[in-house]
Amino acid sequence: MIEIKAQEGPLAGIEGDVVLVLAFEGEVSSTVDQAVAGWATELFTSGEFTGKPCELSILHRPAGLKAKRLAIAGAGKRDRFNAIEMRKAVATAVRTLKCKALKRICLWIEQPEFAQSAVEGAILGDFEPDQLKTDPKKVEKRLTSFTVCAANGGSVLSSAAERGRIVGEAQNFARELENEPANHLTPLVLADRAKTMAAEFGLDCEVMDEAQLRELGMGALLGVSQGSDNPPAFILLRYVPADSTSADHLALIGKGVTFDTGGVSIKPADGMEKMKYDMGGAAAVLGAMRAIAQLKPNVRITAFVPTVENMVSGRAQRPGDIVTSLAGKTVEVLNTDAEGRLILIDAITYALRQGCTHLVDAATLTGAIVVALGHVHVGAFTNNDEFLGRVMAAGKSVGESMWHMPLDDEYKEYLRSAFADLPNIGGRWGGAITAAKFLQDFVEDKPWVHLDIAGTAWLDEPKPYLAKGPTGVPVRTFVNLALNWN
Ligand code: BES
Ligand code: ZN
Ligand code: ZN
C-alpha cells in the first residue's frame, strides 16, 4: 500500500528519491528551470525531450534541490491538458520510475486542482497483476510513498489528495478481485471479501445463500449455478446518507460470474482462462461502494451482486431448459453461455422490490460488444436518455468513455421463444443489443443504464499508464455519478 501525502512549500525543499515534474510540449516551467539552473531548457533545445506524453528524463543530484533526482515527464499539449491527461501522465511516469526502484516519489504540481487525478494515477500506475507471484524482488518495484507538492494549495491540496487515494485504492481493490483466479475466488469467497470490506468501511452487508435464493424464487440465477459445486450467493451492500435531501435510491448491479465455462454450450478452450474476469461488473460495484462509504455522497445507494460459477456437470442446466425468474416470467435457455443476463434479471427484479428508483448495471455481458466497440468504449444502453446522459457525463470527466448503443423496440422481435415468455438469446446479429433488450424486459420502466464492459474490463496488452489485465472499469464513473447526484 502506498502512503499518500500532500505537502506545501518550495520545489527546492522537497525530499525523496525523486521529484517528478510535468512539462507541456515545447514549454519549460520557469520555476523548474530556475531550480535546476537551466537543465530543462537544455533538454528541450537539444531535442532530447519535447514534452510529448510518455517521455521521461532524469537528472541526478540536481544542484539546488534536496531530492536525489529530478524527473521531467511529458504532459502533451497544454491546451489539451485536463484531469484525464494528468492521471495518465502520472501513471505513465510512475510505471517507469518504479522499475528503477524509485520508491518515494514526490510530484510537484503548479495546478493543485489536478491533485486528485494525480494521486489516482500514481496508485493505478503502481498496480501490477502479480498478487500470486512469489518472487520477493517484486516488492522492490512498488512505491512506498507518493506526495503531491505545490507551492501553495492549503487544505484543497490535501483533501484532493485524500479523494484521489480513496478512488485509486477502490479501483485497485476492484482490479485485484478481477484478477483473482476462479479457484481462489469462488462466489462464497467473493461474498466474504464484500463482508470484510463492508465491515472495514462501515457499510451494511447482507449475503443471501442458496437456500434463501430458492425460497425467494430466483430461478434464473439458480439455473446457472446448479452445474457448479461452488454454491451461489447474492451480495447486498447498503449505503444510507446521514441527512439526504433526495428521495432517490440508486441501485448498482454487478455481474458476478466467478468463472464462465459457457456451461453445456461450452466455450472454446483457447482464451477460456480469461473468463475469471467475468465478475468484472461485480468487482467494479464493490470497488465503487468501498469509495462511496468513505466519500459519503448525498444519495442512498444499494449494491446488488449476484454471484455464481457457470460450470459443466451432470447437474448443469441444458439448452432448452425453461426457468422461472424472480419476476415470474419464464425463460427458455437456448444457450447456457448467455448466463450473465439470467443472473442479472433476478438481481434487477430484487432491486426494484427494494424500492430502487434508478438502476445501473455493469456486466462483462457479450463478446458482441467487443466486436462492435473494441477495447475503447464501454457499451451503454438505456431506456432513459436523460439518465444515460448523466452516467456518460460522469464517465467522461473521469476518463471512462462510453458509447451510446441503440435499443429500439424493433430489437425486441429478435427475442422470440415458442415455449417460454422469452429466450435467453436473440439470433446471430446485434448480440450486445439483444442482451440489453433482454434485461430491459425486467426493469419496469425505471430509469436504467446497462454498461457492457466485456471489452474494457481487461487489457490483453499493457498501456503505458496501465498494466496488462484488470482495469477496474467503471469504478470511477460509479463514484463520480454518486458524488454528483443532485
Ligand atoms: N462472459 C461472456 C461474455 C464475454 C465475452 C466477456 C468476451 C468477456 C469477453 C458471456 O457470458 C457470453 O458468453 N456471452 C455470449 C452470448 C451468446 C451465447 C449469445 C457471447 O457473447 O458469445
Ligand atoms: Zn457466458
Ligand atoms: Zn459470462
Side-chain angles (χ1 to χ4, degrees), residues 237-288:
L237 295 174
R238 297 189 182 86
Y239 166 77
V240 184
D243 51 355
S244 179
T245 46
S246 166
D248 294 341
H249 182 177
L250 173 64
L252 297 179
I253 303 170
K255 170 178 172 182
V257 176
T258 57
F259 196 77
D260 184 10
T261 63
V264 171
S265 317
I266 197 163
K267 286 182 181 296
D270 194 21
M272 198 200 275
E273 72 284 353
K274 274 174 54 184
M275 283 301 117
K276 66 176 184 178
Y277 89 87
D278 212 16
M279 35 57 74
V285 166
L286 297 178

Side-chain angles (χ1 to χ4, degrees), residues 105-188:
I105 299 178
C106 300
L107 174 74
W108 166 261
I109 50 174
E110 291 177 347
Q111 295 157 292
E113 67 272 26
F114 294 137
Q116 176 176 346
S117 63
V119 170
E120 288 172 15
I123 293 173
L124 298 177
D126 187 53
F127 178 92
E128 291 295 331
D130 61 0
Q131 291 121 297
L132 295 176
K133 290 205 184 209
T134 57
D135 179 2
K137 287 211 171 105
K138 73 180 191 184
V139 294
E140 288 170 16
K141 295 191 173 165
R142 287 298 143 72
L143 303 196
T144 50
S145 72
F146 181 81
T147 311
V148 264
C149 312
N152 39 48
S155 63
V156 176
L157 187 70
S158 53
S159 62
E162 176 65 359
R163 280 197 304 279
R165 181 187 68 75
I166 291 167
V167 174
E169 286 178 358
Q171 189 168 340
N172 280 357
F173 174 80
R175 290 165 89 192
E176 276 182 26
L177 288 175
E178 242 187 284
N179 192 40
E180 280 196 62
N183 62 328
H184 289 211
L185 194 89
T186 62
L188 293 189

